[in-house]
Amino acid sequence: MQQDVNLLRIPGPTPIPPSIQQAMNKPMIGHRGPETKELVQRIKPRLKRVFGTKEDVLMITASGTGGLETAAVNVAARGDEVLVLVSGAFGDRFAKICEAYQFKTHRLDTTWGEVVNVDEVKQFLEQNNKIKAVFMTYCETSTGILNPIDEISKVVREHSDALVIVDGVSCVGGVETKMDEWGVDIFITGSQKAMMLPPGLTFAAVSERAWKVIENNKQERFYFDLQAYRKNLDNDSTPFTPAVSLLFGLDQALTLLEEEGLEEVYERHALMKEMTRAAMKALQVPLLTADEYSSPTVTAVKPESFQADELRQTVKEQFNLSLAGGQQHLKGEVFRIGHMGYCSPADVLQIISLIEIGLKQLGENITLGQGVAAAQNVYLEKQR
Ligand SMILES: Cc1ncc(COP(=O)(O)O)c(C=O)c1O
Protein backbone atom coordinates (compact mmCIF):
# COMPACT_ATOMS: atom_id res chain seq x y z
CA MET A 1 0.00 0.00 0.00
CA GLN A 2 1.17 3.52 -0.72
CA GLN A 3 2.72 5.11 2.35
CA ASP A 4 1.11 8.13 4.08
CA VAL A 5 -2.39 7.27 2.89
CA ASN A 6 -4.43 7.24 6.06
CA LEU A 7 -8.21 7.46 5.87
CA LEU A 8 -9.06 8.02 9.52
CA ARG A 9 -12.84 7.79 9.74
CA ILE A 10 -13.36 6.76 13.34
CA PRO A 11 -15.31 9.05 15.69
CA GLY A 12 -12.09 10.54 17.04
CA PRO A 13 -9.26 11.16 16.90
CA THR A 14 -10.04 12.77 13.56
CA PRO A 15 -7.75 14.02 10.76
CA ILE A 16 -6.00 17.34 11.27
CA PRO A 17 -6.40 20.10 8.63
CA PRO A 18 -3.02 21.10 7.11
CA SER A 19 -3.24 24.70 8.39
CA ILE A 20 -3.74 23.43 11.95
CA GLN A 21 -0.88 20.96 11.57
CA GLN A 22 1.30 23.82 10.40
CA ALA A 23 0.22 26.09 13.26
CA MET A 24 1.20 23.41 15.76
CA ASN A 25 4.71 23.23 14.30
CA LYS A 26 5.58 26.72 15.53
CA PRO A 27 8.63 26.92 17.80
CA MET A 28 7.86 26.56 21.49
CA ILE A 29 7.17 29.64 23.62
CA GLY A 30 7.30 30.23 27.38
CA HIS A 31 3.98 29.42 29.00
CA ARG A 32 4.26 32.38 31.40
CA GLY A 33 5.45 34.85 28.75
CA PRO A 34 3.53 37.51 26.82
CA GLU A 35 3.11 35.31 23.71
CA THR A 36 1.05 32.70 25.57
CA LYS A 37 -0.97 35.43 27.25
CA GLU A 38 -1.82 36.92 23.86
CA LEU A 39 -2.68 33.47 22.52
CA VAL A 40 -5.09 32.80 25.39
CA GLN A 41 -6.57 36.29 24.99
CA ARG A 42 -7.25 35.53 21.34
CA ILE A 43 -8.79 32.14 22.05
CA LYS A 44 -10.98 33.05 25.04
CA PRO A 45 -13.87 35.00 23.47
CA ARG A 46 -14.00 32.79 20.38
CA LEU A 47 -14.38 29.54 22.33
CA LYS A 48 -17.49 30.91 24.01
CA ARG A 49 -19.29 31.09 20.67
CA VAL A 50 -18.63 27.40 20.01
CA PHE A 51 -20.33 26.54 23.33
CA GLY A 52 -23.13 29.09 22.93
CA THR A 53 -22.27 30.76 26.21
CA LYS A 54 -21.25 34.08 27.68
CA GLU A 55 -19.30 32.17 30.36
CA ASP A 56 -15.57 31.56 30.16
CA VAL A 57 -14.49 28.21 28.75
CA LEU A 58 -11.69 26.67 30.82
CA MET A 59 -8.92 24.74 29.07
CA ILE A 60 -7.41 21.73 30.78
CA THR A 61 -4.57 19.57 29.48
CA ALA A 62 -6.14 16.11 29.60
CA SER A 63 -8.15 13.74 27.42
CA GLY A 64 -11.95 13.94 27.32
CA THR A 65 -12.25 11.60 30.29
CA GLY A 66 -10.21 14.12 32.27
CA GLY A 67 -12.91 16.64 31.40
CA LEU A 68 -15.64 14.29 32.67
CA GLU A 69 -13.73 13.68 35.89
CA THR A 70 -13.21 17.44 36.28
CA ALA A 71 -16.94 18.02 36.10
CA ALA A 72 -17.67 15.25 38.59
CA VAL A 73 -15.14 16.17 41.30
CA ASN A 74 -16.09 19.83 41.21
CA VAL A 75 -19.84 19.49 41.70
CA ALA A 76 -20.25 16.61 44.14
CA ALA A 77 -18.49 14.99 47.10
CA ARG A 78 -18.35 11.52 48.61
CA GLY A 79 -21.84 10.46 49.69
CA ASP A 80 -23.69 13.04 47.58
CA GLU A 81 -26.51 11.74 45.43
CA VAL A 82 -26.12 12.12 41.69
CA LEU A 83 -28.03 10.83 38.67
CA VAL A 84 -26.33 9.58 35.52
CA LEU A 85 -28.31 9.15 32.30
CA VAL A 86 -26.67 6.22 30.54
CA SER A 87 -27.40 5.71 26.85
CA GLY A 88 -24.13 3.97 25.94
CA ALA A 89 -20.47 3.48 26.82
CA PHE A 90 -19.77 7.14 27.64
CA GLY A 91 -22.76 7.58 29.92
CA ASP A 92 -21.49 4.41 31.58
CA ARG A 93 -18.07 6.06 31.94
CA PHE A 94 -19.63 9.07 33.69
CA ALA A 95 -21.32 6.66 36.11
CA LYS A 96 -18.03 4.83 36.76
CA ILE A 97 -16.27 8.10 37.53
CA CYS A 98 -18.99 9.05 40.02
CA GLU A 99 -18.80 5.60 41.62
CA ALA A 100 -15.00 5.82 41.86
CA TYR A 101 -15.43 8.96 43.98
CA GLN A 102 -18.07 7.17 46.05
CA PHE A 103 -20.91 9.48 45.15
CA LYS A 104 -24.26 7.78 45.73
CA THR A 105 -24.77 7.15 42.03
CA HIS A 106 -28.21 6.48 40.54
CA ARG A 107 -28.35 5.36 36.92
CA LEU A 108 -31.14 5.62 34.40
CA ASP A 109 -30.17 3.24 31.60
CA THR A 110 -31.58 3.49 28.08
CA THR A 111 -31.46 0.73 25.49
CA TRP A 112 -28.31 1.32 23.45
CA GLY A 113 -29.26 3.02 20.19
CA GLU A 114 -32.07 5.01 21.79
CA VAL A 115 -32.09 8.43 23.44
CA VAL A 116 -32.77 9.21 27.09
CA ASN A 117 -36.46 9.09 27.97
CA VAL A 118 -37.26 12.58 29.30
CA ASP A 119 -40.38 11.41 31.16
CA GLU A 120 -38.36 8.84 33.10
CA VAL A 121 -35.96 11.58 34.16
CA LYS A 122 -38.89 13.66 35.33
CA GLN A 123 -40.40 10.76 37.29
CA PHE A 124 -37.07 9.93 38.88
CA LEU A 125 -36.51 13.50 40.03
CA GLU A 126 -40.04 13.75 41.42
CA GLN A 127 -39.30 10.75 43.62
CA ASN A 128 -35.71 11.66 44.56
CA ASN A 129 -35.22 15.17 45.84
CA LYS A 130 -31.60 14.98 46.96
CA ILE A 131 -29.90 14.79 43.56
CA LYS A 132 -27.06 17.32 43.35
CA ALA A 133 -26.18 16.85 39.71
CA VAL A 134 -27.50 15.06 36.63
CA PHE A 135 -24.81 13.82 34.22
CA MET A 136 -25.62 13.14 30.57
CA THR A 137 -24.03 12.64 27.16
CA TYR A 138 -24.90 14.84 24.18
CA CYS A 139 -23.63 12.62 21.34
CA GLU A 140 -23.30 9.05 22.64
CA THR A 141 -20.37 8.00 20.46
CA SER A 142 -20.82 4.27 21.06
CA THR A 143 -24.25 4.27 19.39
CA GLY A 144 -24.37 7.48 17.33
CA ILE A 145 -27.40 9.07 18.97
CA LEU A 146 -27.78 12.71 19.94
CA ASN A 147 -29.62 13.18 23.23
CA PRO A 148 -32.16 16.06 23.43
CA ILE A 149 -30.14 18.10 25.92
CA ASP A 150 -32.51 21.08 25.76
CA GLU A 151 -35.50 18.95 26.80
CA ILE A 152 -33.64 17.00 29.47
CA SER A 153 -32.13 20.15 30.94
CA LYS A 154 -35.55 21.81 31.09
CA VAL A 155 -37.01 18.86 32.99
CA VAL A 156 -34.07 18.74 35.40
CA ARG A 157 -34.40 22.45 36.12
CA GLU A 158 -38.18 22.32 36.55
CA HIS A 159 -38.16 19.31 38.85
CA SER A 160 -35.00 19.72 40.92
CA ASP A 161 -32.16 22.00 41.98
CA ALA A 162 -29.62 19.63 40.44
CA LEU A 163 -26.90 20.92 38.16
CA VAL A 164 -27.02 19.87 34.50
CA ILE A 165 -23.68 18.39 33.40
CA VAL A 166 -23.17 17.51 29.73
CA ASP A 167 -20.46 15.50 27.97
CA GLY A 168 -20.22 17.02 24.50
CA VAL A 169 -16.87 15.40 23.68
CA SER A 170 -17.89 13.86 20.36
CA CYS A 171 -19.95 16.69 18.91
CA VAL A 172 -19.26 20.21 20.21
CA GLY A 173 -17.85 22.13 17.24
CA GLY A 174 -19.90 20.02 14.81
CA VAL A 175 -23.46 20.41 16.11
CA GLU A 176 -25.47 23.26 17.55
CA THR A 177 -24.49 23.88 21.18
CA LYS A 178 -26.49 26.43 23.17
CA MET A 179 -25.24 26.12 26.71
CA ASP A 180 -26.89 29.26 28.11
CA GLU A 181 -30.20 28.92 26.28
CA TRP A 182 -30.53 25.26 27.27
CA GLY A 183 -29.63 25.91 30.92
CA VAL A 184 -26.59 23.65 30.99
CA ASP A 185 -24.31 24.18 34.01
CA ILE A 186 -21.14 22.47 32.83
CA PHE A 187 -20.49 21.64 29.17
CA ILE A 188 -17.42 19.52 28.47
CA THR A 189 -15.70 18.75 25.21
CA GLY A 190 -12.38 17.39 23.96
CA SER A 191 -9.93 18.47 21.29
CA GLN A 192 -9.66 15.40 19.08
CA LYS A 193 -13.10 15.18 17.47
CA ALA A 194 -15.15 17.97 15.89
CA MET A 195 -12.55 20.51 17.11
CA MET A 196 -10.07 19.08 14.55
CA LEU A 197 -7.10 18.92 16.93
CA PRO A 198 -4.96 16.09 18.26
CA PRO A 199 -5.98 14.55 21.61
CA GLY A 200 -4.81 16.28 24.76
CA LEU A 201 -7.06 19.24 25.52
CA THR A 202 -10.40 19.20 27.28
CA PHE A 203 -12.70 22.18 27.78
CA ALA A 204 -15.23 23.02 30.47
CA ALA A 205 -17.72 25.88 30.23
CA VAL A 206 -19.22 26.60 33.66
CA SER A 207 -22.42 28.50 34.62
CA GLU A 208 -22.75 31.00 37.48
CA ARG A 209 -25.03 28.53 39.27
CA ALA A 210 -22.37 25.82 39.03
CA TRP A 211 -19.66 28.12 40.41
CA LYS A 212 -21.63 28.53 43.64
CA VAL A 213 -21.72 24.76 44.08
CA ILE A 214 -18.05 24.38 43.09
CA GLU A 215 -16.91 27.00 45.61
CA ASN A 216 -18.62 25.13 48.45
CA ASN A 217 -17.86 21.58 47.31
CA LYS A 218 -15.82 19.63 49.88
CA GLN A 219 -14.53 16.97 47.49
CA GLU A 220 -10.70 16.71 47.57
CA ARG A 221 -9.17 17.68 44.22
CA PHE A 222 -6.03 19.35 42.96
CA TYR A 223 -5.13 19.20 39.23
CA PHE A 224 -8.81 19.23 38.27
CA ASP A 225 -9.91 22.01 40.64
CA LEU A 226 -11.83 24.34 38.33
CA GLN A 227 -11.33 27.28 40.68
CA ALA A 228 -7.61 27.30 39.84
CA TYR A 229 -8.42 27.35 36.12
CA ARG A 230 -10.90 30.20 36.56
CA LYS A 231 -8.46 32.30 38.61
CA ASN A 232 -5.74 31.86 36.00
CA LEU A 233 -8.00 32.38 33.00
CA ASP A 234 -8.96 35.74 34.47
CA ASN A 235 -5.29 36.62 33.83
CA ASP A 236 -5.25 34.93 30.41
CA SER A 237 -3.27 32.03 31.77
CA THR A 238 -3.55 28.44 33.00
CA PRO A 239 -2.60 27.07 36.44
CA PHE A 240 -0.19 24.46 35.03
CA THR A 241 1.91 24.25 31.87
CA PRO A 242 -0.66 24.06 29.07
CA ALA A 243 -0.28 21.94 25.93
CA VAL A 244 1.13 25.01 24.14
CA SER A 245 1.28 23.41 20.68
CA LEU A 246 -2.37 22.42 20.97
CA LEU A 247 -3.20 26.03 21.83
CA PHE A 248 -1.45 27.13 18.62
CA GLY A 249 -3.63 24.60 16.81
CA LEU A 250 -6.77 25.71 18.63
CA ASP A 251 -6.23 29.30 17.56
CA GLN A 252 -6.22 28.10 13.94
CA ALA A 253 -9.11 25.65 14.47
CA LEU A 254 -11.25 28.55 15.68
CA THR A 255 -10.23 30.55 12.62
CA LEU A 256 -11.35 27.70 10.36
CA LEU A 257 -14.70 27.44 12.16
CA GLU A 258 -15.19 31.21 11.90
CA GLU A 259 -14.22 31.38 8.23
CA GLU A 260 -16.68 28.65 7.30
CA GLY A 261 -19.30 30.00 9.75
CA LEU A 262 -20.67 27.93 12.64
CA GLU A 263 -24.09 27.53 11.02
CA GLU A 264 -22.43 26.29 7.83
CA VAL A 265 -20.28 23.89 9.86
CA TYR A 266 -23.42 22.43 11.47
CA GLU A 267 -25.14 22.16 8.08
CA ARG A 268 -22.13 20.35 6.63
CA HIS A 269 -22.26 17.82 9.47
CA ALA A 270 -26.01 17.31 9.03
CA LEU A 271 -25.48 16.76 5.30
CA MET A 272 -22.69 14.22 5.86
CA LYS A 273 -24.94 12.31 8.24
CA GLU A 274 -27.82 12.25 5.76
CA MET A 275 -25.56 11.15 2.93
CA THR A 276 -24.13 8.32 5.05
CA ARG A 277 -27.51 7.13 6.20
CA ALA A 278 -29.05 7.29 2.71
CA ALA A 279 -26.15 5.21 1.39
CA MET A 280 -26.52 2.49 4.03
CA LYS A 281 -30.26 2.33 3.42
CA ALA A 282 -29.73 2.02 -0.34
CA LEU A 283 -27.27 -0.82 0.30
CA GLN A 284 -29.80 -2.40 2.71
CA VAL A 285 -27.33 -2.45 5.56
CA PRO A 286 -29.31 -1.70 8.76
CA LEU A 287 -28.55 1.35 10.87
CA LEU A 288 -28.46 1.08 14.66
CA THR A 289 -30.40 4.29 15.29
CA ALA A 290 -33.59 5.96 14.10
CA ASP A 291 -33.22 8.98 11.83
CA GLU A 292 -34.70 11.42 14.33
CA TYR A 293 -32.16 10.63 17.07
CA SER A 294 -29.07 10.25 14.94
CA SER A 295 -25.94 12.28 15.49
CA PRO A 296 -24.45 14.40 12.69
CA THR A 297 -20.95 13.32 13.78
CA VAL A 298 -21.01 9.50 13.86
CA THR A 299 -23.14 6.76 12.31
CA ALA A 300 -23.40 3.26 13.79
CA VAL A 301 -24.27 0.49 11.35
CA LYS A 302 -25.53 -2.91 12.51
CA PRO A 303 -25.19 -5.47 9.72
CA GLU A 304 -27.16 -8.71 9.75
CA SER A 305 -25.75 -10.60 6.79
CA PHE A 306 -22.00 -10.12 7.37
CA GLN A 307 -19.55 -9.57 10.22
CA ALA A 308 -18.95 -5.90 11.01
CA ASP A 309 -15.32 -6.56 11.96
CA GLU A 310 -14.62 -8.42 8.70
CA LEU A 311 -15.70 -5.40 6.72
CA ARG A 312 -13.54 -3.16 8.91
CA GLN A 313 -10.58 -5.43 8.40
CA THR A 314 -10.93 -5.64 4.63
CA VAL A 315 -11.14 -1.86 4.07
CA LYS A 316 -8.31 -1.30 6.53
CA GLU A 317 -6.01 -3.78 4.78
CA GLN A 318 -6.63 -2.53 1.27
CA PHE A 319 -7.16 1.21 1.69
CA ASN A 320 -6.01 1.99 5.21
CA LEU A 321 -9.56 3.15 5.86
CA SER A 322 -10.16 3.02 9.62
CA LEU A 323 -13.73 2.52 10.77
CA ALA A 324 -14.51 2.03 14.45
CA GLY A 325 -15.90 -1.18 15.96
CA GLY A 326 -18.55 -1.66 18.62
CA GLN A 327 -18.02 -1.07 22.34
CA GLN A 328 -19.00 -3.27 25.27
CA HIS A 329 -21.94 -5.55 24.27
CA LEU A 330 -21.96 -4.07 20.76
CA LYS A 331 -18.42 -5.34 20.14
CA GLY A 332 -18.45 -7.21 16.81
CA GLU A 333 -22.09 -6.19 16.27
CA VAL A 334 -21.65 -2.74 14.76
CA PHE A 335 -19.21 -0.63 12.84
CA ARG A 336 -19.09 3.11 13.25
CA ILE A 337 -18.27 5.77 10.67
CA GLY A 338 -16.92 9.05 11.98
CA HIS A 339 -17.87 12.04 9.82
CA MET A 340 -16.87 15.05 11.85
CA GLY A 341 -14.32 17.83 11.98
CA TYR A 342 -12.02 17.81 8.97
CA CYS A 343 -14.46 15.82 6.83
CA SER A 344 -16.49 16.87 3.79
CA PRO A 345 -19.24 15.42 1.58
CA ALA A 346 -16.45 14.38 -0.83
CA ASP A 347 -14.88 12.29 1.96
CA VAL A 348 -18.24 10.66 2.65
CA LEU A 349 -18.51 9.60 -1.01
CA GLN A 350 -15.05 8.08 -0.76
CA ILE A 351 -15.87 6.17 2.44
CA ILE A 352 -19.07 4.78 0.94
CA SER A 353 -17.47 3.68 -2.30
CA LEU A 354 -14.72 1.84 -0.37
CA ILE A 355 -17.32 0.21 1.87
CA GLU A 356 -19.13 -0.96 -1.29
CA ILE A 357 -15.94 -2.67 -2.48
CA GLY A 358 -15.60 -4.34 0.91
CA LEU A 359 -19.20 -5.52 0.81
CA LYS A 360 -18.73 -7.05 -2.65
CA GLN A 361 -15.63 -8.85 -1.44
CA LEU A 362 -17.56 -10.23 1.54
CA GLY A 363 -20.03 -11.69 -0.97
CA GLU A 364 -22.87 -9.25 -0.30
CA ASN A 365 -25.48 -8.99 -2.99
CA ILE A 366 -25.19 -5.28 -3.75
CA THR A 367 -24.88 -3.25 -6.93
CA LEU A 368 -21.74 -1.16 -6.98
CA GLY A 369 -22.52 2.53 -6.89
CA GLN A 370 -25.92 2.07 -5.23
CA GLY A 371 -24.85 3.64 -1.96
CA VAL A 372 -22.73 6.30 -3.59
CA ALA A 373 -25.62 7.34 -5.87
CA ALA A 374 -28.00 7.64 -2.92
CA ALA A 375 -25.49 9.88 -1.12
CA GLN A 376 -24.90 11.93 -4.27
CA ASN A 377 -28.64 12.47 -4.61
CA VAL A 378 -28.87 13.70 -1.02
CA TYR A 379 -26.04 16.09 -1.80
CA LEU A 380 -27.69 17.37 -4.99
CA GLU A 381 -31.06 17.80 -3.28
CA LYS A 382 -29.44 20.10 -0.70
CA GLN A 383 -27.92 22.32 -3.39
CA ARG A 384 -31.30 23.20 -4.89
C1 LIG B 1 -18.82 11.13 24.28
C2 LIG B 1 -17.44 10.86 24.76
N1 LIG B 1 -17.13 11.14 26.03
C3 LIG B 1 -15.91 10.92 26.53
C4 LIG B 1 -14.91 10.38 25.75
C5 LIG B 1 -13.58 10.11 26.35
O1 LIG B 1 -12.60 10.88 25.78
P1 LIG B 1 -11.06 10.44 25.86
O2 LIG B 1 -10.94 9.14 25.15
O3 LIG B 1 -10.39 11.59 25.16
O4 LIG B 1 -10.69 10.35 27.29
C6 LIG B 1 -15.18 10.07 24.42
C7 LIG B 1 -14.13 9.45 23.56
O5 LIG B 1 -14.41 8.82 22.58
C8 LIG B 1 -16.47 10.32 23.92
O6 LIG B 1 -16.75 10.02 22.64
Side-chain angles (χ1 to χ4, degrees):
M1 197 191 309
Q2 189 183 17
Q3 295 301 301
D4 279 13
V5 172
N6 178 19
L7 308 177
L8 185 61
R9 295 300 170 203
I10 60 173
T14 57
I16 312 295
S19 67
I20 293 184
Q21 195 75 59
Q22 216 172 355
M24 291 188 303
N25 282 342
K26 281 192 202 131
M28 192 44 56
I29 53 175
H31 69 295
R32 298 288 175 222
E35 299 91 343
T36 301
K37 203 176 165 77
E38 281 163 24
L39 183 60
V40 173
Q41 264 168 5
R42 257 201 319 279
I43 289 170
K44 228 165 61 166
R46 298 151 79 208
L47 257 186
K48 295 180 188 206
R49 290 198 281 276
V50 177
F51 283 77
T53 185
K54 61 177 179 15
E55 310 293 348
D56 277 337
V57 183
L58 307 169
M59 298 179 283
I60 304 157
T61 303
S63 83
T65 307
L68 305 190
E69 184 155 342
T70 300
V73 296
N74 278 275
V75 301
R78 181 175 311 197
D80 282 347
E81 291 197 40
V82 298
L83 172 63
V84 187
L85 309 178
V86 181
S87 45
F90 292 101
D92 182 56
R93 183 166 304 177
F94 241 155
K96 286 184 174 134
I97 293 169
C98 292
E99 282 159 4
Y101 282 96
Q102 296 178 30
F103 305 160
K104 191 166 175 222
T105 307
H106 302 269
R107 291 172 65 119
L108 270 184
D109 279 86
T110 304
T111 306
W112 286 34
E114 290 174 13
V115 289
V116 167
N117 181 321
V118 182
D119 284 336
E120 277 179 24
V121 179
K122 181 175 153 201
Q123 273 171 26
F124 181 92
L125 291 172
E126 280 170 353
Q127 287 157 16
N128 297 270
N129 58 9
K130 291 202 186 118
I131 301 298
K132 280 199 73 177
V134 182
F135 296 86
M136 63 201 77
T137 319
Y138 190 8
C139 168
E140 177 46 79
T141 328
S142 60
T143 65
I145 55 96
L146 199 66
N147 275 309
I149 299 302
D150 50 346
E151 290 172 37
I152 304 171
S153 176
K154 190 161 178 267
V155 157
V156 174
R157 286 200 164 229
E158 280 173 5
H159 297 272
S160 75
D161 294 324
L163 295 179
V164 176
I165 315 290
V166 181
D167 167 359
V169 169
S170 62
C171 62
V172 171
V175 301
E176 190 168 69
T177 302
K178 296 188 168 173
M179 163 155 167
D180 294 352
E181 195 180 310
W182 297 344
V184 172
D185 292 296
I186 301 188
F187 225 123
I188 301 290
T189 197
S191 50
Q192 78 273 25
K193 306 208 184 222
M195 296 300 290
M196 305 179 284
L197 292 164
L201 269 186
T202 187
F203 306 90
V206 183
S207 75
E208 271 309 313
R209 204 166 81 112
W211 280 120
K212 295 203 177 74
V213 173
I214 293 168
E215 285 156 13
N216 294 308
N217 185 28
K218 299 274 184 289
Q219 174 62 47
E220 298 86 350
R221 59 213 196 258
F222 184 75
Y223 185 76
F224 287 140
D225 188 349
L226 280 172
Q227 296 172 102
Y229 289 86
R230 174 171 62 171
K231 189 162 155 239
N232 279 268
L233 196 64
D234 285 345
N235 295 313
D236 304 311
S237 183
T238 54
F240 314 109
T241 312
V244 177
S245 303
L246 290 181
L247 295 185
F248 288 145
L250 175 60
D251 193 16
Q252 177 58 17
L254 290 166
T255 301
L256 291 183
L257 291 176
E258 287 158 5
E259 283 176 354
E260 185 176 355
L262 275 180
E263 284 308 317
E264 285 75 9
V265 170
Y266 303 153
E267 278 169 24
R268 170 167 53 85
H269 282 79
L271 174 59
M272 294 191 295
K273 161 183 107 167
E274 284 170 34
M275 289 171 69
T276 307
R277 294 179 73 83
M280 291 304 129
K281 286 177 192 168
L283 293 166
Q284 299 192 334
V285 184
L287 295 159
L288 178 69
T289 58
D291 289 344
E292 63 265 37
Y293 306 142
S294 56
S295 171
T297 55
V298 51
T299 298
V301 186
K302 195 169 186 302
E304 281 162 7
S305 53
F306 63 92
Q307 298 293 322
D309 287 349
E310 271 183 41
L311 176 71
R312 292 204 306 125
Q313 198 182 340
T314 182
V315 295
K316 176 74 181 163
E317 279 170 9
Q318 296 173 90
F319 307 111
N320 205 16
L321 167 61
S322 300
L323 302 173
Q327 291 176 282
Q328 297 191 16
H329 67 271
L330 289 182
K331 204 171 173 45
E333 300 290 313
V334 300
F335 67 91
R336 292 173 299 144
I337 306 167
H339 35 76
M340 70 177 109
Y342 187 44
C343 190
S344 73
D347 295 312
V348 173
L349 294 176
Q350 182 190 45
I351 304 167
I352 293 162
S353 88
L354 300 182
I355 287 177
E356 287 185 357
I357 292 178
L359 291 176
K360 265 281 183 212
Q361 289 168 328
L362 292 186
E364 289 298 293
N365 183 19
I366 61 153
T367 305
L368 287 176
Q370 221 172 352
V372 173
Q376 287 170 322
N377 278 323
V378 170
Y379 180 84
L380 287 172
E381 274 299 313
K382 292 283 167 186
Q383 309 312 310
R384 290 226 176 104

